[in-house]
Amino acid sequence: MTFRTRLLLIFTIAVVASVGIVEWVGSGTTRESFERAETQRVDALVAQFQKEFDRRKQGIVRAVDGIAGSDAMLDLALATDYAPNYDDARSLAAAHGLGLLELVAGDGSIISSAEWPARFGYKEDWLPGRENWRSLGAFLKREELPGGVTLALVSVATVAAGDRKLYIVGGQELDREFLSTLVLPAGMRALLYRNLTPRFSAPDLIDSSGPVPQTALLRPLVERVIADPRETARTVGRGADAETFHALPLTGYENNLLGVLLIGSSRRSLVELESSLRTTGIVVAAFGILMGLALAWWATARITRPVRRLAESARKVASGNWNTTVEIASEDEIGQLARSFNRMTHELVEQRERLVQTERVAAWRELARRLAHELKNPLFPLQITVENMQRARQSYPEQFDEVFREGSQTLLAELANLKQIIGRFSDFAKMPAPEMQPVDCNALVAETMKLFEPQLAAARIAARAELDPNLRRVAADAEQMTRVLRNLVLNAIDAMPQGGTLTLRTMALSPGVRLEVSDTGQGLTPEECDRLFTPYYTTKTHGTGLGLAIVQSVVSDHKGRISVESQPGKGATFRIDLGS
Amino acid sequence: MLLCICAAALAATRPHYGGTLRVEIQESIEGPDPPQLGPGIPDLFNAFTITRWESGRRAVFTADDNAAGGRPFLDSVDVEMGRPSRDQAIALDTGKADIVQIEPADVRRQPPGRKIWASSPVRLIALVFSGVEDPRIREALALAVDRAAIYRVLLQGQGEISGALLPQWLSGYAFLFPAGADLPKARALAAAAPPAARTLALSVENPVLRFLADRIVLNARDAGLAVSIVSSGAAVRLLQTRVISADPARALPAIASSLGLPEPPRAESPEALYGAERALLEGFRVIPLFHLPDVYAVSPRVKGGPGITPLGEWRFENLWIEGGRP
């Protein structure tokens, strides 16, 4: 993963997390605010509804009191025969806007009933049992009607005439008509459960249009209020169809639970508002994330561009192009880094040049030292021979011929030695390019072993070849590789002056081949290993120090690799990998 | 002076010809032709000739100059049918009607001085069973009905409580038939019957009787019977029939026939008649409840009369209208 991708990923996560947190916190706060406002609204509406309910109660009380206050009721209280008045309640109820009205004698006998005229003479035993009906105001009561039992909101007024009494019981049936006449705020509806049976009865849950069709959702709320008659609120349904219901227990004059009034407030507007907010939030969040990603893309590109340039420049430096510089586009940390990079590469170039210069000087010095050393060895015998020849001619002319003959042989030998030295240097300078062709390395090793058999025998060195029969041919210059093997064998012979074992080994690599030349000589120190392939470096008292340099040069020309493994006193192994 | 006043008074009470008598009744008689038998409109054929017949709505009769008893004083009689009691009362109060039919219970509500014509109790109100086979249920219902309360309150003391088919004034033995309620016995009888039999439907074809039916339903409920009111076709019917003859020997078979009872044997003596009526009421196939009179409220403009007989027949030929024709 690139630095830019990583950075972009971090930016993306940061943007998404930030936007998500802001959206979550924002929408949560907003939802809470709306929920609070909705709760307040519903509470206000419920209070308004209760006021309306109380107003209806007061209206009933006023109507009943109005009837009780009439002279006709006083006359009726004093009457001895109620028969002519058996139908009075109907007209009185109609005149005072009451759905239910009963005129009841002091002994509880019904004189006239608007809701059930045929009930005259029947007893309302609950009436004489209480004195202060007026203090109750309007209250709930189970009312028996021709069609069955129902729930009514009634008020009782008493007309007293001497020792005679007349009760006026008037009210309204709590039915769908009553609910439909309630003035309800928009978005609200009133439901009534008439608790007339021991168990929940779905037909007794009504609204202004009749029995409520779907009672399953409301049943638990009703049953809860029946079990524990307290005002309770609960939200039923889901989504836009959800409603918050406030359940108000309705009790009768004996404090028995006769009904449950359910005031429903639709949550549609709130849900739609929340949905709108959610949609807006998602759109804003998506826009924010897209904007954030675009900005992150731009920012990462802007931030990583100089870094990428630095990385590119570092790659160039690593590949050897030390003159690489980075454009400095800013004064920030990246600019300082670029400036440091430029300074570093500049110093690297300078140091390399200084090092090259130093190495060149050192190489020249080493070359001069070697040349001086190599040339001094044959020059000194030349000088001595010439001086001996001069001294013999002056002091011993009779022996001059003999001395001249021996001297000239010595001079020729040393001159040949000088020529050989110069030839080696010349060979190193003129290393030819390898002519690659398939070469059987096992054959090369065998030829080299055979070539050095006499010399190895003279040096009391046992030669051993461990050749891999599965070795494949490899592209190489056979002559140069033979020269490599010879140099390594010669080095091994020099490393074992007391004799030892020389092992030449081949093995197949995948791909390529490996050649190993091992001796059991005195070995090399780590420092010697490090400098072994440096031109003109040698651990021997004789030699030009060019042998292993030539070996390394040839192997390098073959795109191969040479290494040495050695410990002092445990011999050394030169390892050449070709074609890998 | 006194002579002048007396002469004027005599002139005012003297019958004179002319004018139209406007009559309103609750009954709505349907048919292509006016009925020829029974009390009411058919009685007019004695002295009047029908000139207009609108089925169920209106009938107009004009005086028959060749009537057997001589030409009636009235020029014509205009009868409007199917008029609700309330509308009739308003029409009478506003002078748009001269004679209106009222229910017995409304007699006590009439304003003081209002002229009322009432027949003898000739209308029988009874429960008739046609599909209830369990006699315990029939007897339970007979014992459950509180006739006294209905008579006192709903009928305002008009008519008679009766357990007989013929009214007391006609037979003289009606009081022998029990008409009291016995709720405990009714409950026991109903409880002994299968539960399915305790549910009954009561049809009330005459809407005027509906207020009686409501009370009967309430009484039945007290006895453990579930009775629901329907308009027609039920196993129990609350209906009204009437006495059409002042001869009890002729009236009983007619009533039995109208109630779907078998024709009683010809009775030559009151004892035989009593036995025949008792036999008809055995098994509680019919539960007589009340005998009610025909009652009419009459405008002060209507002179002469009374215009109805004890059997409820119309006798308008001797009536005249104040200021009818100079």
Side-chain angles (χ1 to χ4, degrees), chain B residues 21-174:
Chain B
L21 182 71
R22 294 159 301 176
V23 182
E24 293 190 1
I25 60 174
Q26 293 170 6
E27 191 179 6
S28 180
I29 301 170
E30 304 283 347
D33 298 310
Q36 302 294 320
L37 295 173
I41 288 177
D43 296 328
L44 295 178
F45 285 102
N46 293 331
F48 296 89
T49 303
I50 189 159
T51 56
R52 183 170 182 176
W53 173 253
E54 296 175 23
S55 174
R57 291 185 57 217
R58 192 179 178 204
V60 179
F61 290 81
T62 55
D64 183 0
D65 292 335
N66 302 315
R71 185 191 187 281
F73 295 113
L74 297 167
D75 286 344
S76 63
V77 178
D78 190 342
V79 183
E80 282 200 51
M81 296 175 281
R83 297 280 290 164
S85 298
R86 180 182 170 80
D87 293 350
Q88 291 186 45
I90 292 170
L92 185 65
D93 289 340
T94 57
K96 293 179 179 173
D98 299 313
I99 298 176
V100 298
Q101 190 178 26
I102 61 173
E103 288 301 317
D106 294 331
V107 171
R108 291 173 66 171
R109 292 201 184 90
Q110 299 303 312
R114 165 79 35 97
K115 190 191 292 183
I116 301 291
W117 294 340
S119 70
S120 296
V122 291
R123 288 190 287 154
L124 171 65
I125 310 297
L127 287 167
V128 180
F129 293 88
S130 56
V132 180
E133 298 304 324
D134 194 329
R136 292 169 296 188
I137 296 298
R138 299 196 295 265
E139 186 177 0
L141 189 57
L143 294 172
V145 178
D146 184 1
R147 294 176 177 84
I150 295 173
Y151 173 75
R152 188 180 68 253
V153 178
L154 296 182
L155 301 178
Q156 295 289 301
Q158 302 296 310
E160 295 172 352
I161 294 172
S162 180
L165 296 173
L166 295 177
Q168 173 69 21
W169 67 271
L170 186 62
S171 69
Y173 57 74

Side-chain angles (χ1 to χ4, degrees), chain B residues 221-238:
Chain B
R221 195 186 69 161
D222 293 341
L225 300 172
V227 179
S228 57
I229 297 176
V230 297
S231 57
S232 63
V236 189
R237 292 177 294 152
L238 178 66

Side-chain angles (χ1 to χ4, degrees), chain A residues 411-580:
Chain A
L411 285 173
L412 288 172
E414 292 304 328
L415 284 172
N417 194 16
L418 278 172
K419 193 176 176 181
Q420 186 182 8
I421 290 167
I422 290 167
R424 284 181 185 170
F425 279 96
S426 178
D427 287 347
F428 181 67
K430 297 178 187 174
M431 189 69 69
E435 294 178 5
M436 308 298 268
Q437 57 187 351
V439 171
D440 182 0
C441 290
N442 283 345
L444 284 183
V445 169
E447 286 172 9
T448 305
M449 292 283 280
K450 191 171 183 180
L451 183 67
F452 281 92
E453 268 180 3
Q455 203 168 344
L456 292 168
R460 299 188 305 280
I461 293 172
R464 201 169 61 191
E466 296 175 1
L467 303 179
D468 185 348
N470 297 323
L471 201 67
R472 290 189 297 272
R473 289 171 178 269
V474 66
D477 187 324
E479 188 179 341
Q480 289 189 8
M481 287 309 297
T482 302
R483 193 171 169 186
V484 165
L485 286 175
R486 286 177 185 172
N487 275 341
L488 291 175
V489 170
L490 282 173
N491 269 351
I493 292 170
D494 289 342
M496 296 182 288
Q498 306 300 325
T501 303
L502 172 69
T503 304
L504 274 74
R505 198 177 291 114
T506 63
M507 62 181 72
L509 298 178
S510 180
V513 297
R514 171 169 289 177
L515 303 174
E516 286 183 357
V517 178
S518 300
D519 63 60
T520 55
Q522 49 199 322
L524 299 165
T525 65
E527 291 77 19
E528 288 170 338
C529 286
D530 288 343
R531 298 194 61 193
L532 206 57
F533 298 105
T534 304
Y536 313 117
Y537 174 79
T538 182
T539 58
K540 297 178 285 190
T541 54
H542 64 279
T544 60
L546 291 173
L548 287 176
I550 290 169
V551 166
Q552 189 193 33
S553 176
V554 169
V555 172
S556 179
D557 288 345
H558 280 75
K559 310 294 182 193
R561 191 156 54 88
I562 184 167
S563 60
V564 61
E565 185 181 310
S566 178
Q567 287 183 349
K570 292 187 176 177
T573 298
F574 288 86
R575 188 172 291 125
I576 297 168
D577 292 338
L578 294 176
S580 59

Side-chain angles (χ1 to χ4, degrees), chain A residues 81 83-87 111 116-122 144-145, chain B residues 105 108-109 149-150 152-154 156 211 214-215 218-219 221-222:
Chain A
D81 180 12
N85 304 96
Y86 93 97
D87 205 22
I111 298 170
W116 200 349
R119 279 196 83 217
F120 61 86
Y122 278 71
E144 209 171 1
L145 296 179
Chain B
R108 291 173 66 171
R109 292 201 184 90
I150 295 173
R152 188 180 68 253
V153 178
L154 296 182
Q156 295 289 301
F211 72 117
D214 288 338
R215 181 69 179 195
L218 200 57
N219 290 156
R221 195 186 69 161
D222 293 341

Side-chain angles (χ1 to χ4, degrees), chain A residues 24-280:
Chain A
W24 180 66
V25 171
S27 61
T29 309
T30 310
R31 193 179 301 112
E32 265 184 28
S33 301
F34 280 119
E35 288 279 359
R36 206 159 36 240
E38 175 69 8
T39 304
Q40 289 171 353
R41 186 182 79 90
V42 170
D43 288 346
L45 295 178
V46 169
Q48 186 180 340
F49 176 83
Q50 284 177 322
K51 273 186 184 173
E52 169 70 10
F53 197 65
D54 290 341
R55 192 180 67 76
R56 299 298 294 270
K57 281 182 171 180
Q58 289 163 7
I60 289 171
V61 171
R62 274 197 303 274
V64 172
D65 286 349
I67 294 169
S70 67
D71 292 340
M73 291 301 104
L74 189 61
D75 293 341
L76 185 60
L78 290 168
T80 53
D81 180 12
Y82 299 128
N85 304 96
Y86 93 97
D87 205 22
D88 289 358
R90 193 149 39 181
S91 55
L92 281 170
H96 288 82
L98 293 172
L100 308 172
L101 182 66
E102 279 183 349
L103 308 178
V104 183
D107 64 349
S109 302
I110 297 173
I111 298 170
S112 177
S113 173
E115 61 270 23
W116 200 349
R119 279 196 83 217
F120 61 86
Y122 278 71
K123 287 290 185 75
E124 294 283 16
D125 293 326
W126 55 278
L127 270 173
R130 190 183 183 106
E131 291 295 328
N132 55 342
W133 286 109
R134 186 178 174 78
S135 64
L136 277 181
F139 56 89
L140 285 178
K141 182 179 172 296
R142 284 167 60 98
E143 194 68 43
E144 209 171 1
L145 296 179
V149 179
T150 187
L151 199 60
L153 189 62
V154 300
S155 172
V156 177
T158 308
V159 179
D163 60 344
R164 298 177 69 88
K165 257 186 185 176
L166 177 70
Y167 297 103
I168 291 102
V169 185
Q172 291 282 354
E173 187 183 352
L174 286 187
D175 56 2
R176 66 177 194 85
E177 282 85 6
F178 178 84
L179 294 176
S180 66
T181 58
L182 291 172
V183 179
L184 287 172
M188 291 196 80
R189 63 174 177 145
L191 281 68
L192 175 70
Y193 177 71
R194 296 178 291 194
N195 189 29
L196 304 172
T197 53
R199 300 180 66 183
F200 180 84
S201 165
D204 282 322
L205 182 58
I206 60 169
D207 61 11
S208 59
S209 59
V212 177
Q214 302 287 338
T215 59
L217 290 174
L218 294 169
R219 180 174 179 166
L221 178 59
V222 171
E223 288 179 334
R224 181 176 166 185
V225 176
I226 291 172
D228 181 15
R230 283 188 302 178
E231 185 174 337
T232 308
R234 181 181 285 181
T235 298
V236 300
R238 284 185 172 183
D241 294 329
E243 272 184 289
T244 299
F245 278 95
H246 283 250
L248 310 175
L250 302 176
T251 54
Y253 68 97
E254 290 174 322
N255 213 27
N256 49 335
L257 184 74
L258 293 177
V260 180
L261 189 62
L262 300 165
I263 305 167
S265 173
S266 171
R267 291 174 62 85
R268 178 174 292 277
S269 57
L270 177 67
V271 170
E272 286 175 351
L273 188 61
E274 284 182 353
S275 174
S276 171
L277 277 175
R278 195 180 305 114
T279 306
T280 307

